[in-house]
């Protein structure tokens, strides 16, 4: 008999969004609601600890920044696909979150007069990235985790893999999960739920993401009938270290760093004459890809082509003070000291703008279920996110969804729990996947999937390539890979990898289907065969619904409150 564990509110994911939500449930209910936070890795190993450069917020209006400027920069950066009411909400709440974190103990970097310091970031018209050296994610996570630990009503389930949602006609009821350490399968019963499972970036091999960033949460919601929104928009960061893909923060460019090609040319002059290296990511990444395509890149001994990021002129002192992790990464992984040598970089998968369809309150179409952070598409980022807006979004919607879920849980007590759904999920997991008969090595399938995404769904895309990729992914889905070689119960990472692969195949199909259908170029989605933005036909969000024949697409309106689409130049 499957053991059932009960909480008032269940949060899947313990990154910045999940932890912020847990604190808000506690605060709203004055500690009366019990909160279960599940994470497939230890909370402090959630991907959010990797965030480097900063969190966007308007703090210094007295020096010229303004909410209006942050709103406009984000909408323009999104290539006009962001919902403008959501952007307004982000910008109005983000400053409170910065000061709230400060009160919880966040060690923000400071100016000499004691003010919280801010640095420049791509696509922002004012230096509004609040930072803590180049470890903003680590310190935010540490601050939030420590705050959670003060609340006896928050219980952490570290290293528990959630396999699916449990819902019925009335809405969300709970989830099912495997305790990785023991291998035991459990049901979780709750009055309200929040999915904060992060992005889908490990669909790609060359990515800045943690290896745990697979689209499990997206796939769970999709299987449960929640549409996925705007999944074709995948962000490629301009500066991944070659050949590992480890991120070199845009904060470095904010500190005055330049990009050069093999002819020694500062090539961003051609692509973003005013903003140069501080153009938005889609434009800088495409510029690097163009330089490489046209033969002006360097070639690494790994075979990868790259351009150089030159920090030298900003000086040893500033590099040691503000970019110490970057320096360490370059020295350890590449054997170069950026104080003395330029860094080899190229574009790399970094963020998923799309995600679980949620409204401005983070509510999904399933009653009692919210989503926050990178797993949610609310939509603030539209077709291209501005750097530092993600951690801000995680904090803001962590708070909003935590409050909403708490209020809901205080007013609703579900009449029943659908045990039948739990039994069906157990069967799907153990009979379908764990005891699957397939002969093929799942790691090879995963490798082929990532290779396909790297090749066809990258910075430049074509209808032909995307069609080819779709065929390949569908063929991979047909191959009998459901093969868990290792049959032990405890810490069966082979099993976890196969479960993740299930989600990856489903979600790759959604990304490709949306990208194939969208015959225009907008933000990070650039179709070489349709190189122009087409507002007449495509100023709309894509919604992908799961059917037995694969994703079925329909579209919804973009909310425009104040800025009509304009030509986007930098
Ligand atoms: C290298 C790097 C640097 C970045 N720097 C910045 C920056 O400076 N500023 C900025 O704004 N943004 C930055 N970003 C983006 C930002 O870090 C992320 O968008 C953000 O941290 C995502 O947080 P999250 O809370 O949504 O999810 P995550 O931190 O990704 O956490 C996801 C959680 O879900 C859990 N989970 C997933 N699936 C399951 C499952 N099946 N069962 C149980 N648990 C599950 C995981 O264990 C984890 O706890 C950066 C991204 C990268 C890759």
């Amino acid at each position: 008999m499957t053991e059932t564990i009960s909480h008032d509110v269940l949060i899947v994911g313990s990154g910045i969004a999940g932890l912020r939500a847990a604190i808000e449930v506690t605060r709203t209910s004055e500690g009366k609601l019990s909160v279960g936070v599940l994470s497939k890795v230890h909370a402090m190993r959630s991907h959010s600890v990797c965030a480097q450069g900063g969190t966007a917020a308007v703090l210094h209006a007295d020096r010229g920044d303004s909410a209006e400027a942050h709103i406009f920069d984000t909408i323009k950066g999104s290539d006009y696909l962001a919902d403008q009411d959501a952007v307004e909400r982000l910008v109005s709440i983000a400053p409170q979150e910065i000061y709230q974190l400060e009160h919880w103990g966040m060690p923000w970097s400071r100016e000499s007069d004691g003010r919280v310091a801010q640095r420049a970031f791509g696509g922002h018209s004012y230096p509004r990235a609040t930072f803590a050296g180049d470890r903003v994610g680590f310190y935010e996570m540490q601050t939030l985790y420590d705050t959670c630990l003060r609340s006896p009503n928050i219980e952490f389930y570290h290293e528990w893999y959630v396999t699916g949602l449990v819902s019925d006609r009335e809405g969300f009821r709970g989830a099912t999960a495997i305790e990785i350490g023991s291998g035991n399968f459990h049901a979780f019963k709750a009055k309200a739920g929040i999915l904060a499972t992060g992005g889908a970036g490990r669909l790609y091999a060359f990515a800045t993401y943690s290896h745990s960033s697979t689209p499990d949460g997206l796939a769970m919601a999709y299987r449960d009938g929640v549409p996925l929104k705007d999944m074709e928009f995948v962000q490629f960061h301009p500066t991944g270290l070659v050949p590992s893909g480890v991120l070199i923060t845009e904060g470095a460019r904010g500190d005055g760093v330049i990009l050069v090609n093999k002819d020694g040319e500062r090539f961003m002059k051609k692509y973003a004459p005013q903003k140069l290296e501080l153009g938005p990511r889609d434009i800088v990444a495409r510029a690097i890809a163009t330089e490489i395509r046209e033969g002006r890149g360097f070639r690494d001994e790994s075979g990868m082509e790259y351009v150089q990021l030159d920090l030298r002129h900003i000086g040893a002192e500033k590099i040691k003070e503000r970019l110490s992790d970057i320096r360490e990464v370059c020295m350890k992984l590449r054997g170069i000291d950026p104080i003395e040598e330029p860094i080899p970089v190229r574009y790399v998968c970094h963020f998923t703008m799309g995600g679980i369809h949620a409204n401005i309150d983070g509510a999904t179409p399933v009653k009692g279920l919210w989503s926050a952070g990178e797993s949610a598409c609310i939509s603030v980022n539209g077709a291209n996110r501005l750097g530092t807006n993600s951690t801000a979004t995680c904090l803001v919607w962590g708070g909003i969804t935590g409050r909403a879920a708490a209020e809901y849980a205080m007013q609703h007590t579900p009449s029943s729990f659908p045990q039948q759904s739990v039994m069906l999920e157990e069967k799907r997991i153990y009979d379908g996947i764990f005891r699957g008969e397939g002969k093929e090595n799942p790691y090879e399938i995963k490798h082929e999937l990532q290779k396909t995404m790297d090749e066809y769904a990258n910075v430049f895309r074509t209808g032909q390539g995307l069609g080819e990729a779709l065929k390949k992914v569908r063929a991979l889905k047909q191959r009998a890979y459901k093969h868990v070689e290792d049959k032990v119960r405890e810490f069966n990472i082979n099993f976890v990898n196969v479960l993740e692969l299930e989600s990856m195949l489903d979600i790759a199909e959604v990304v490709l289907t949306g990208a194939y259908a969208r015959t225009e170029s907008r933000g990070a989605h650039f179709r070489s065969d349709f190189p122009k933005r087409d507002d007449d036909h495509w100023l709309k969000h894509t919604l992908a619904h799961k059917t037995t024949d694969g994703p079925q697409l329909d579209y919804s309106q973009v909310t425009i409150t104040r800025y009509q689409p304009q030509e986007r130049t930098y």
Side-chain angles (χ1 to χ4, degrees):
M1 180 73 184
T2 306
E3 191 194 338
T4 302
I5 301 171
S6 295
H7 286 285
D8 295 311
V9 179
L10 200 66
I11 299 175
V12 187
S14 60
I16 294 171
L19 296 183
R20 179 68 190 84
I23 296 168
E24 201 57 36
V25 174
T26 304
R27 188 146 77 168
T28 307
S29 69
E30 294 173 346
K32 292 192 187 82
L33 294 177
S34 83
V35 187
V37 182
L38 290 110
S39 173
K40 65 179 175 178
V41 294
H42 185 283
M44 278 304 292
R45 296 195 67 208
S46 296
H47 164 74
S48 285
V49 292
C50 304
Q52 295 178 351
T55 298
V58 175
L59 300 186
H60 298 323
D62 56 326
R63 294 183 189 174
D65 198 9
S66 70
E68 197 57 46
H70 190 187
I71 292 168
F72 178 68
D73 293 346
T74 303
I75 293 168
K76 181 179 174 188
S78 80
D79 219 348
Y80 296 90
L81 195 72
D83 283 335
Q84 299 186 7
D85 53 349
V87 176
E88 288 165 18
R89 194 178 282 188
L90 167 74
V91 170
S92 68
I93 301 177
Q96 297 161 33
E97 291 293 330
I98 299 293
Y99 294 124
Q100 177 61 79
L101 275 179
E102 162 121 327
H103 294 159
W104 285 329
M106 175 82 191
W108 294 119
S109 291
R110 305 221 163 241
E111 294 183 7
S112 52
D113 65 359
R115 282 199 201 207
V116 172
Q118 295 198 301
R119 58 159 58 122
F121 247 75
H124 289 277
S125 58
Y126 186 88
R128 63 172 73 94
T130 322
F131 62 100
D134 51 3
R135 295 178 198 148
V136 76
F138 173 75
Y139 288 123
E140 287 184 356
M141 283 291 290
Q142 201 184 43
T143 305
L144 293 168
Y145 186 51
D146 180 55
T147 306
C148 284
L149 293 181
R150 291 163 204 242
S151 304
N153 63 312
I154 301 176
E155 189 162 346
F156 279 93
Y157 297 84
H158 302 284
E159 300 180 333
W160 284 61
Y161 187 96
V162 177
T163 69
L165 298 174
V166 179
S167 61
D168 62 16
R169 272 182 305 175
E170 286 173 44
F172 173 81
R173 290 287 172 266
T176 48
I178 299 167
E179 182 186 19
I180 298 172
S182 67
N184 292 337
F185 184 80
H186 294 260
F188 280 82
K189 196 168 144 182
K191 296 171 184 168
I194 301 172
L195 282 174
T197 48
R202 277 292 158 189
L203 290 178
Y204 293 77
F206 193 61
T208 56
Y209 280 88
S210 307
H211 286 274
S212 57
S213 292
T214 51
D216 321 350
L218 272 58
M220 269 173 231
Y222 183 56
R223 278 200 306 273
D224 212 44
V226 180
L228 301 182
K229 188 158 72 196
D230 291 342
M231 288 299 297
E232 61 270 35
F233 296 102
V234 177
Q235 178 162 83
F236 293 86
H237 195 291
T239 54
L241 181 65
V242 169
S244 62
V246 170
L247 182 72
I248 304 298
T249 178
E250 197 168 290
R253 281 179 287 142
D255 283 335
V257 165
I258 61 170
L259 284 163
V260 289
N261 65 18
K262 83 165 191 303
D263 303 329
E265 184 192 6
R266 190 176 180 188
F267 57 85
M268 280 313 299
K269 282 190 271 186
K270 291 182 288 192
Y271 303 93
Q274 287 166 30
K275 285 273 183 187
L276 298 162
E277 285 79 6
L278 282 175
R281 289 174 179 171
D282 56 338
I283 291 177
V284 184
R286 266 197 303 281
I288 294 174
T290 305
E291 291 299 302
I292 289 174
R293 270 184 162 196
E294 293 179 359
R296 292 184 294 277
F298 302 83
R299 188 176 285 278
D300 180 61
E301 56 193 24
S302 66
M304 254 185 203
E305 289 183 273
Y306 64 90
V307 296
Q308 288 183 334
L309 185 72
D310 197 345
L311 272 71
R312 288 174 294 182
H313 62 282
I314 68 172
E317 199 183 323
K318 205 164 173 189
I319 292 174
K320 285 183 188 161
E321 182 205 326
R322 290 163 75 125
L323 300 166
S324 59
D325 264 13
I326 293 307
R327 180 170 179 239
E328 190 182 330
V329 160
C330 290
M331 286 163 80
K332 285 199 173 139
L333 298 187
R334 184 71 204 200
I336 58 170
D337 183 349
I339 292 174
E340 282 153 19
E341 275 179 83
I343 310 172
V345 293
R346 66 178 275 144
Y347 48 93
V348 55
C349 176
H350 182 67
F351 187 81
T352 23
M353 268 74 73
I356 296 165
H357 176 42
N359 69 13
I360 190 169
D361 299 319
T364 74
V366 173
K367 233 173 140 204
L369 179 67
W370 285 262
S371 183
E374 196 174 331
S375 59
C377 183
I378 283 182
S379 133
V380 168
N381 302 304
N384 174 63
R385 171 179 73 99
L386 292 191
T388 69
N389 269 352
S390 177
T391 45
T393 302
C394 290
L395 292 165
V396 168
W397 271 277
I400 291 172
T401 57
R403 197 169 321 121
E407 282 164 1
Y408 184 88
M410 288 190 286
Q411 287 159 13
H412 291 81
T413 302
S415 45
S416 59
F417 184 67
Q419 279 298 350
Q420 182 69 13
S421 308
V422 175
M423 281 159 58
L424 286 175
E425 178 67 357
E426 195 168 0
K427 209 168 151 40
R428 180 182 83 86
I429 296 295
Y430 290 96
D431 293 349
I433 300 173
F434 188 70
R435 297 186 198 97
E437 287 297 309
K439 293 272 175 285
E440 296 208 41
N441 184 334
Y443 299 97
E444 270 165 30
I445 303 281
K446 182 171 167 180
H447 174 67
E448 282 188 43
L449 172 70
Q450 291 176 324
K451 213 172 74 185
T452 304
M453 296 302 283
D454 274 347
E455 188 170 344
Y456 297 107
N458 213 294
V459 169
F460 292 117
R461 303 162 170 195
T462 63
Q464 198 197 0
L466 291 164
E468 187 63 26
L470 258 174
K471 269 195 241 149
K472 285 184 184 235
V473 169
R474 286 181 180 146
L476 289 175
K477 283 180 90 167
Q478 293 310 313
R479 275 162 61 179
Y481 67 89
K482 289 180 181 171
H483 184 56
V484 181
E485 180 92 32
D486 182 357
K487 297 293 182 196
V488 297
R489 286 183 74 80
E490 296 85 8
F491 283 109
N492 190 337
I493 298 306
N494 180 215
F495 187 20
V496 169
N497 274 308
V498 174
L499 290 167
E500 288 175 343
L501 178 58
E502 281 273 308
S503 304
M504 291 170 75
L505 286 165
D506 268 354
I507 303 308
E509 195 184 7
V510 174
V511 172
L512 295 170
T513 305
Y516 182 78
R518 189 174 278 272
T519 48
E520 67 154 355
S521 291
R522 184 184 296 273
H525 171 69
F526 191 91
R527 288 277 302 255
S528 305
D529 44 353
F530 294 93
K532 295 252 177 311
R533 192 176 81 197
D534 175 0
D535 291 330
D536 290 342
H537 298 100
W538 289 106
L539 184 59
K540 56 189 180 183
H541 297 297
T542 305
L543 292 172
H545 304 260
K546 185 166 170 65
T547 73
T548 44
D549 298 328
Q552 191 174 38
L553 303 185
D554 64 22
Y555 295 91
S556 71
Q557 266 193 339
V558 176
T559 306
I560 294 184
T561 55
R562 49 174 99 192
Y563 293 109
Q564 289 301 321
Q566 304 164 17
E567 197 195 342
R568 198 165 154 253
T569 52
Y570 286 92

